[in-house]
Amino acid sequence: MPALTEWRVPSANQPRASDYGFDLDRSLASVVGLHAIIPPDAFSAETLGTERAGNGVVIDNGLVLTIGYLITEAESVWLHLADGRVVEGHALGFDSVTGFGLVQALGHLDVEPLPLGNSVKTRVGDRVVVGGAGGRTRSVASQIVAKQEFAGYWEYLLDEAIFTYPAHPNWGGTALLNERGELIGIGSLQLERERDGKAEHVNMIVPIDLLKPVLDDLRKFGRVNKPSRPWLGLYSTEIDNRLVVIGISTNGPAARAELKTGDVILAVDGEEVTSQTAFYKKMWALGAAGVDVPLTVHHEGVTFDVTVTSTDRFKLLKAPKLH
């Protein structure tokens, strides 16, 4: 079992126990290291790789919350605990709408769960800790710098994500702790923004309030027990108020419809779209996965209509092995 890479957060960015009104070290002990192995023929292996490492947070007896991309299609998951033990886990559930993933430990963790807070009550300017596995030296004393919509290129949209600065360098699955030591979010991405003419890195955090309505389903069924959103398998970005295709998922509906990188999506079902948010919302409003999605597309001087039959992205994923 390879050890996770040794590294430390710069000391100036590490949280100091005296700055907080809760037991910082005890809370950070609930954050574990996570290492997942994915089969080479898995659908997500092409984009996310076959070996993924990050963090997870114990939220119940043996139940670890993480960011879903770390464990999607994992055939084995290993949890690295603060006392040096390594415990095998099972990828229990994944929600593509929120991005959360759940792991069930297959051995005794003996780790106290972190209580869940209310992310809706957080405010820009709040002091927070972005906690990584390994305690204070792997954690960042941070601040909420924005709460705003986030649209991801992979057909993903959060109405209000949390953004923190300084950024955690090993952000995936980190624990966002409020000043009471409660879990208010899970680290997802590191992004760059410009401020005062300089580029700075921030973390995008998925708010914990999004977990509460789906947690029971994820534990029981491994996914949310309702019809899935339509999924096309295309990656997009906004360039000059135009929605440009920057990638096509192999074997996805967009690939079967022969959409190509460089295509500009002008409209969904006859309604103009100029942003990822508008594109997603109009597409998802058409119905559940399997619905036909009529697109108006521009490519190299030619505008044409094409209908893409959407799918449920879960159908393309390997089911995790039961142990």
Side-chain angles (χ1 to χ4, degrees):
M1 185 69 219
L4 298 180
T5 308
E6 274 299 321
W7 60 276
R8 283 179 172 233
V9 167
S11 57
N13 290 344
Q14 292 176 19
R16 295 178 301 189
S18 58
D19 288 344
Y20 302 94
F22 63 94
D23 189 331
L24 178 64
D25 292 328
R26 185 174 178 179
S27 295
L28 291 176
S30 302
V31 186
V32 300
L34 188 150
H35 184 208
I37 305 295
I38 287 80
D41 61 342
F43 181 74
S44 61
E46 182 181 9
T47 51
L48 297 174
T50 58
E51 193 165 348
R52 305 171 197 164
N55 308 274
V57 188
V58 180
I59 61 167
D60 200 350
N61 184 27
L63 190 68
V64 176
L65 179 65
T66 187
I67 198 69
Y69 62 73
L70 291 177
I71 61 164
T72 302
E73 301 183 279
E75 63 180 5
S76 60
V77 179
W78 301 93
L79 303 171
H80 295 246
L81 308 184
D83 61 8
R85 288 181 298 134
V86 179
V87 175
E88 189 172 5
H90 167 62
L92 186 62
F94 165 58
D95 178 34
S96 60
V97 173
T98 61
F100 288 124
L102 278 184
V103 173
Q104 180 65 54
L106 298 177
H108 189 54
L109 293 183
D110 195 25
V111 173
E112 190 172 322
L114 266 182
L116 304 186
N118 293 307
S119 49
V120 72
K121 293 182 177 178
T122 59
R123 298 287 180 265
V124 171
D126 283 359
R127 292 192 316 161
V128 289
V129 175
V130 184
R136 277 184 271 163
T137 62
R138 307 281 186 90
S139 301
V140 174
S142 195
Q143 186 177 44
I144 295 177
V145 293
K147 292 180 72 179
Q148 63 192 51
E149 181 182 84
F150 173 77
Y153 65 84
W154 61 98
E155 300 180 46
Y156 178 77
L157 179 66
L158 294 179
D159 290 334
E160 188 176 78
I162 299 172
F163 296 85
T164 61
Y165 175 84
H168 196 291
N170 184 28
W171 54 88
T174 48
L176 184 66
L177 304 177
N178 64 15
E179 291 195 282
R180 290 181 295 279
E182 297 166 331
L183 181 66
I184 54 170
I186 292 290
S188 177
L189 298 171
Q190 180 174 276
L191 305 169
E192 194 174 274
R193 72 169 188 172
E194 190 173 304
R195 195 174 70 145
D196 300 331
K198 295 180 180 178
E200 65 180 19
H201 290 106
V202 297
N203 287 142
M204 190 279 277
I205 311 281
V206 182
I208 202 66
D209 288 0
L210 298 178
L211 176 70
K212 296 166 186 178
V214 303
L215 180 57
D216 284 347
D217 276 3
L218 291 180
R219 296 180 80 154
K220 291 176 188 172
F221 309 112
R223 57 179 293 180
V224 176
N225 189 29
K226 67 179 184 181
S228 294
R229 286 173 171 171
W231 180 77
L232 301 186
L234 61 80
Y235 308 130
S236 65
T237 191
E238 298 168 18
I239 302 175
D240 297 330
N241 290 321
R242 302 198 311 167
L243 190 69
V244 181
V245 178
I246 56 171
I248 301 288
S249 183
T250 307
N251 299 325
R256 290 195 295 274
E258 299 185 356
L259 291 175
K260 294 179 174 58
T261 299
D263 285 351
V264 179
I265 298 173
L266 301 177
V268 176
D269 198 22
E271 294 188 53
E272 181 185 12
V273 294
T274 58
S275 68
Q276 289 170 311
T277 298
F279 170 49
Y280 298 156
K281 288 186 174 180
K282 289 183 191 301
M283 174 174 66
W284 296 335
L286 293 174
V291 72
D292 285 344
V293 180
L295 300 177
T296 303
V297 180
H298 183 84
H299 186 85
E300 295 182 351
V302 178
T303 298
F304 58 95
D305 292 325
V306 60
T307 297
V308 185
T309 301
S310 65
T311 192
D312 177 356
R313 74 176 80 193
F314 270 93
K315 292 181 178 178
L316 302 171
L317 304 179
K318 282 180 173 289
K321 291 180 179 178
L322 294 171
H323 294 257

